[in-house]
Amino acid sequence: MRSTLTIALAGNPNSGKTTLFNTLTGSRQHVGNYPGITVDTREGFVEYNKRMLTIVDLPGTYSLSAYSPEEIVARNLLIQKRPQVVVDVVDATNLERNLYLGVQLLELGLPMIIALNMMDEAEKKGLRIDADLLSQKFGAEVVKTVGRTGKGKLDLLQKCCVLADEAGGASRPFFISYGPDLDPVIDEMAARIEETSFLTRWYPARWVALKYLEYDEEVMAQGKKEGTISEELQSMVKKVSDHCEKTLNTEPEAIIADYRYGFISSVLKTGVVNREGTSNRRAVSEVLDRFLTHRYAGPVLMFMIIYALFQVTFGLGEIPLGWVEGFFGWLGETCRALIPQGLLRSLLVSGIIDGVGGVLSFVPLIVIMFFGLAFLEDSGYMARVAYMLDRVLRTFGLHGSSVMPFVISGGIPGGCAVPGCMATRALRSPKEKLATLLTAPFLSCGAKVPVFLLLAGAFFPKAAAEVLFWITLLGWAAALVVARLLRSTLIKGPPTPFVMELPPYRMPTLKGLCIHTWERAWQYIKKAGTIILAISILLWAAMTFPGLSEERKALYQDRIDAVQQELEGAEEPGIRDRLAAEMTRIRNERKTVELKQSLAGRMGTYFESVTSWAGFDWRTNIALIGGFAAKEVIVSTLGTSYSLGSVDSEAAGSLSDRLAADPDFTRVTGLSLMVFVLLYAPCFVTVVAIARESSWKWALFSVVFNTVFAFSLAVAVFQVGQLM
Ligand code: GDP
Ligand code: MG
């Protein structure tokens, strides 16, 4: 044996110290307790290169302040045992936090080697660590190790021996700057400490100064016993503390921690850590984020991007929308020409083609909007939207993680509240989850969008995009205000903290975009072909039966026949025109009475006395009742009822033309209806989803509460609108 060496293993808890210790020492170890405190430290032995090495496994610590028994034990062992080498065992997958201890070990003036442990994990995560660069920046040797397999252990022992021989227990000086406020004071204190050899038997002068600034009780107690300049140092500290308090509203201890972390992150940023293949992308992302998630510019840009999405959707969508509408118009006419008048024709034309066709006409718009959304999602921008809105959500008693349920539910129009409700599972706090669950259905889901498109197209043809934009905002406002309301009444409770990772931006692939767009569009089309088809037929039946009594039918037939006879006799064109108009009026009246007499018509009429406050007539009521099954049904039902209720459906054109032509249906009615549709009871499937995530009590609550809330707002809109 040439000599003996003591090597201490320091590191954060779970960095793999004990594992490394075991592979180094095998069975040659014993556990010791530091006197007075039950924090165990192990000692073991290993023979290397004809040397006997004593290895000490220190308790795991994050720092060398004197906050916990582990920290005190680790520090005192380092001071008293004076190991020739300290190995800082760091978890390579979490360098930033782990190196905090390393900085302090160097400041304590110990010869240090960094063991980059868990290298297997780091490689699995695609982290590439430049050990040479790290070594250069820290002024310490770096060895890559895997504790579990013992990989790197001989290299580690060899470097320890070399360092011990070179340094002989003293380290290279290591200084980091603590900024303009503290640096001069530290220098001044260190100079005084040096002059008087105050505590320098144990610690470097700068370290003592730092410990005084951190109000380290252990060191200060030790200093008090020593006497001499302890009080002088304390008064220096007091002065700079007061200054920091006044100017920065913080204390030296916090500044010291900030600068240590700042030093580490600046070292890591020089290229010590790279994510495989992504380093470039990360850098680009950072540049983009400086702009896209900027405190002020970010939200403005976000609104502009969403607004642009609407403009593009409407601008581009208008053309194919016309084609699809034209196609269903042609299909209806063909059926009319081929099938004789009667129930079958009525079912096919009014029930199925007008109903489902009304819903399918919006497929082109929806495809374009979904394509835009897929782009925002795939590019990584959507995560930024969530990140930016996080700050806002907190003020409304919600959680950062509420963003995703909201966005999925239709925070950007086109979502669906059913997956939105499922996404609330990410919320840990039951209260925040409930608040999110109950308010997510206010947003404009993909099923409400066609209703808005229809009404905006009919009453605000020049400003359809703007209308949809404002409706979207209204959905958000309602969700947030109601959330705040619920969180300060029915579901009170404190907020929980939140951390979110931003993925790097990436250029979406065309294929990926098409797949995402198609998935959603297909869901919509499938729904039109199944649920909506079924409900359309059901509602058509409810709107057709029981029909007029034979008596009334005869009465109308007589009137029609009478006019017909007059028409045949008349020759003057003026009179003929008048008679033809009379004929149309009678036929329309008959159709309308027929619809009103129907099952659905009676229900709609029954509610009319109340709903007329918001401007809804019985026809709208029918649609709204159907809308509870699925919101798209509102469009198909209006389509059917306007088709059944008018005799000249051939000539009437698209549903939005018909609505615009109806004298009882004004712009104000359109607005009030949009507000109601946006906010009233969630559709049946969503109600089930809410019940599954919370309870039937809350699901029922959302049906009643939302409907009352929506109706109050719709009445307000209608009444104020009437006045203007
Ligand atoms: P200590 O708290 O620093 O003593 O950490 P331990 O030695 O108890 O290790 C914590 C966990 O990390 C254990 O499950 C080890 O098996 C595991 N571990 C230690 N070193 C490595 C390593 O290099 N790679 C991997 N994948 N796991 C490791
Ligand atoms: Mg351990």
Side-chain angles (χ1 to χ4, degrees):
M1 295 289 145
R2 254 176 46 207
S3 62
T4 58
L5 273 184
T6 303
I7 298 168
L9 304 181
N12 290 9
N14 287 316
S15 59
K17 283 181 312 303
T18 305
T19 311
L20 206 57
F21 173 83
N22 288 340
T23 62
L24 287 172
T25 60
S27 56
R28 302 168 73 180
Q29 49 174 277
H30 64 81
V31 178
N33 258 335
Y34 194 73
I37 311 172
T38 55
V39 173
D40 53 72
T41 55
R42 281 160 222 265
E43 265 188 19
F45 308 94
V46 56
E47 240 184 271
Y48 176 76
N49 207 6
K50 302 215 178 88
R51 267 176 153 171
M52 194 56 159
L53 309 182
T54 307
I55 315 272
V56 183
D57 181 19
L58 296 177
T61 61
Y62 294 105
S63 151
L64 288 181
S65 32
Y67 292 133
S68 66
E70 285 83 3
E71 284 174 357
I72 294 171
V73 170
R75 192 165 91 183
N76 287 343
L77 266 169
L78 289 172
I79 304 295
Q80 286 156 15
K81 279 221 172 211
R82 281 274 149 196
Q84 278 82 359
V85 178
V86 181
V87 176
D88 181 21
V89 182
V90 302
D91 173 354
T93 64
N94 195 354
L95 275 184
E96 184 134 12
R97 199 181 67 189
N98 273 250
L99 286 172
Y100 191 71
L101 180 68
V103 169
Q104 296 180 67
L105 289 169
L106 287 173
E107 284 184 320
L108 192 49
L110 296 163
M112 188 181 84
I113 288 178
I114 295 173
L116 281 178
N117 197 35
M118 311 246 183
M119 274 313 294
D120 52 336
E121 295 270 315
E123 271 157 25
K124 236 188 275 165
K125 283 191 173 171
L127 291 171
R128 276 186 299 130
I129 300 173
D130 187 338
D132 291 339
L133 191 58
L134 180 65
S135 164
Q136 190 193 322
K137 296 282 172 189
F138 262 73
E141 289 286 349
V142 175
V143 184
K144 292 183 176 180
T145 61
V146 178
R148 280 202 184 154
T149 60
K151 197 173 159 197
K153 87 176 175 187
L154 292 182
D155 190 16
L156 181 65
L157 289 176
Q158 201 245 331
K159 288 214 161 91
C160 283
C161 291
V162 170
L163 181 62
D165 293 342
E166 256 176 26
S171 77
R172 289 165 251 190
F174 179 82
F175 296 128
I176 61 177
S177 163
Y178 288 100
D181 288 289
L182 297 187
D183 272 348
V185 185
I186 295 170
D187 287 344
E188 203 185 325
M189 288 169 77
R192 282 295 288 148
I193 292 163
E194 206 87 65
E195 263 169 43
T196 55
S197 303
F198 178 72
L199 297 179
T200 47
R201 245 176 70 216
W202 295 283
Y203 314 106
R206 224 178 130 83
W207 169 268
V208 177
L210 283 171
K211 289 295 126 180
Y212 265 80
L213 282 166
E214 289 176 329
Y215 286 103
D216 186 296
E217 282 175 13
E218 284 261 311
V219 171
M220 281 166 84
Q222 209 178 343
K224 211 167 191 168
K225 263 191 258 158
E226 195 93 349
T228 61
I229 61 163
S230 181
E231 269 170 28
E232 187 185 334
L233 292 177
Q234 275 179 348
S235 75
M236 289 164 101
V237 168
K238 173 97 177 57
K239 215 169 104 202
V240 72
S241 293
D242 289 346
H243 180 71
C244 291
E245 185 65 45
K246 257 191 248 126
T247 56
L248 305 166
N249 193 25
T250 183
E251 45 195 26
E253 194 181 353
I255 299 176
I256 291 171
D258 279 353
Y259 273 90
R260 281 188 186 137
Y261 276 119
F263 168 77
I264 294 164
S265 79
S266 73
V267 167
L268 296 183
K269 276 212 178 79
T270 56
V272 167
V273 184
N274 282 319
R275 233 163 255 275
E276 214 128 68
T278 63
S279 60
N280 206 4
R281 244 179 46 219
R282 288 240 164 229
V284 171
S285 285
E286 260 170 43
V287 173
L288 279 175
D289 269 341
R290 229 173 279 155
F291 193 55
L292 290 173
T293 60
H294 184 268
R295 243 185 122 88
Y296 305 110
V300 173
L301 270 166
M302 175 175 73
F303 279 109
M304 277 163 54
I305 288 171
I306 295 171
Y307 190 76
L309 177 64
F310 291 146
Q311 292 293 349
V312 170
T313 303
F314 281 91
L316 278 182
E318 218 167 343
I319 306 156
L321 179 72
W323 298 339
V324 182
E325 274 183 351
F327 169 75
F328 282 104
W330 168 84
L331 196 67
E333 264 159 50
T334 312
C335 285
R336 254 180 230 112
L338 293 177
I339 306 168
Q341 179 152 25
L343 272 183
L344 180 65
R345 188 169 105 177
S346 171
L347 169 66
L348 269 180
V349 175
S350 296
I352 298 175
I353 295 175
D354 281 354
V356 174
V359 175
L360 286 183
S361 320
F362 292 104
V363 167
L365 284 194
I366 279 172
V367 165
I368 296 170
M369 187 174 277
F370 284 176
F371 189 86
L373 281 183
F375 186 89
L376 295 185
E377 261 170 21
D378 293 3
S379 64
Y381 184 69
M382 206 61 127
R384 271 71 185 180
V385 170
Y387 166 79
M388 283 186 275
L389 292 176
D390 171 51
R391 274 180 252 152
V392 180
L393 286 180
R394 291 181 159 277
T395 56
F396 289 94
L398 294 161
H399 188 262
S401 305
S402 307
V403 168
M404 270 310 152
F406 277 171
V407 169
I408 294 170
S409 296
I412 290 183
C416 174
V418 176
C421 287
M422 290 186 210
T424 60
R425 285 174 200 169
L427 287 150
R428 294 255 176 77
S429 141
K431 290 186 172 169
E432 281 159 355
K433 175 179 174 177
L434 189 58
T436 311
L437 207 51
L438 292 176
T439 49
F442 286 136
L443 298 161
S444 33
C445 71
K448 293 176 197 168
V449 169
V451 186
F452 304 141
L453 295 178
L454 171 73
L455 294 170
F459 299 106
F460 306 89
K462 295 230 172 63
E466 279 92 338
V467 169
L468 192 59
F469 180 75
W470 289 110
I471 277 284
T472 306
L473 280 195
L474 179 65
W476 274 101
L480 295 181
V481 169
V482 171
R484 182 69 270 176
L485 204 82
L486 289 172
R487 290 288 276 133
S488 34
T489 53
L490 294 179
I491 29 184
K492 264 191 207 162
T496 44
F498 168 82
V499 191
M500 180 137 59
E501 281 249 330
L502 293 182
Y505 288 102
R506 57 185 89 215
M507 196 61 199
T509 62
L510 189 62
K511 193 174 157 202
L513 291 179
C514 290
I515 291 172
H516 283 152
T517 306
W518 175 246
E519 278 169 356
R520 288 189 176 167
W522 178 238
Q523 242 181 356
Y524 182 83
I525 295 169
K526 223 167 46 185
K527 212 165 149 192
T530 53
I531 302 181
I532 293 169
L533 177 64
I535 297 170
S536 290
I537 293 174
L538 220 81
L539 283 168
W540 167 83
M543 281 187 262
T544 304
F545 301 107
L548 288 179
S549 63
E550 287 306 315
E551 255 168 80
R552 286 200 97 159
K553 253 190 205 158
L555 221 68
Y556 276 111
Q557 201 52 52
D558 288 349
R559 283 171 66 187
I560 288 170
D561 288 347
V563 176
Q564 187 67 31
Q565 247 173 16
E566 260 188 82
L567 196 59
E568 271 159 26
E571 288 195 353
E572 212 179 302
I575 297 175
R576 284 188 69 92
D577 281 353
R578 192 181 54 76
L579 287 173
E582 173 72 5
M583 177 83 102
T584 310
R585 206 184 54 75
I586 296 170
R587 284 197 178 145
N588 268 342
E589 191 187 313
R590 185 181 67 181
K591 284 272 184 187
T592 308
V593 169
E594 206 171 356
L595 180 61
K596 221 171 173 168
Q597 287 286 309
S598 72
L599 207 68
R602 281 176 216 188
M603 264 170 82
T605 313
Y606 177 78
F607 287 116
E608 209 174 37
S609 59
V610 177
T611 57
S612 61
W613 296 349
F616 307 156
D617 69 352
W618 54 277
R619 271 197 260 223
T620 309
N621 291 348
I622 299 174
L624 291 174
I625 294 167
F628 179 62
K631 296 272 156 84
E632 296 95 327
V633 171
I634 296 169
V635 173
S636 62
T637 311
L638 280 175
T640 307
S641 76
Y642 270 84
S643 150
L644 284 174
S646 74
V647 68
D648 255 347
S649 37
E650 284 103 283
S654 75
L655 176 56
S656 86
D657 294 339
R658 286 181 204 167
L659 283 177
D662 182 347
D664 291 336
F665 219 115
T666 62
R667 274 186 160 200
V668 178
T669 320
L671 270 184
S672 126
L673 184 57
M674 280 194 259
V675 169
F676 187 78
V677 168
L678 178 72
L679 305 174
Y680 88 117
C683 71
F684 181 70
V685 190
T686 303
V687 173
V688 174
I690 293 176
R692 237 190 281 146
E693 296 301 326
S694 57
S695 68
W696 276 103
K697 193 188 86 184
W698 284 112
L700 206 69
F701 171 85
S702 80
V703 172
V704 176
F705 176 81
N706 291 13
T707 307
V708 171
F709 176 64
F711 190 66
S712 318
L713 270 185
V715 169
V717 167
F718 185 70
Q719 297 299 340
V720 171
Q722 291 290 83
L723 293 179
M724 298 197 315

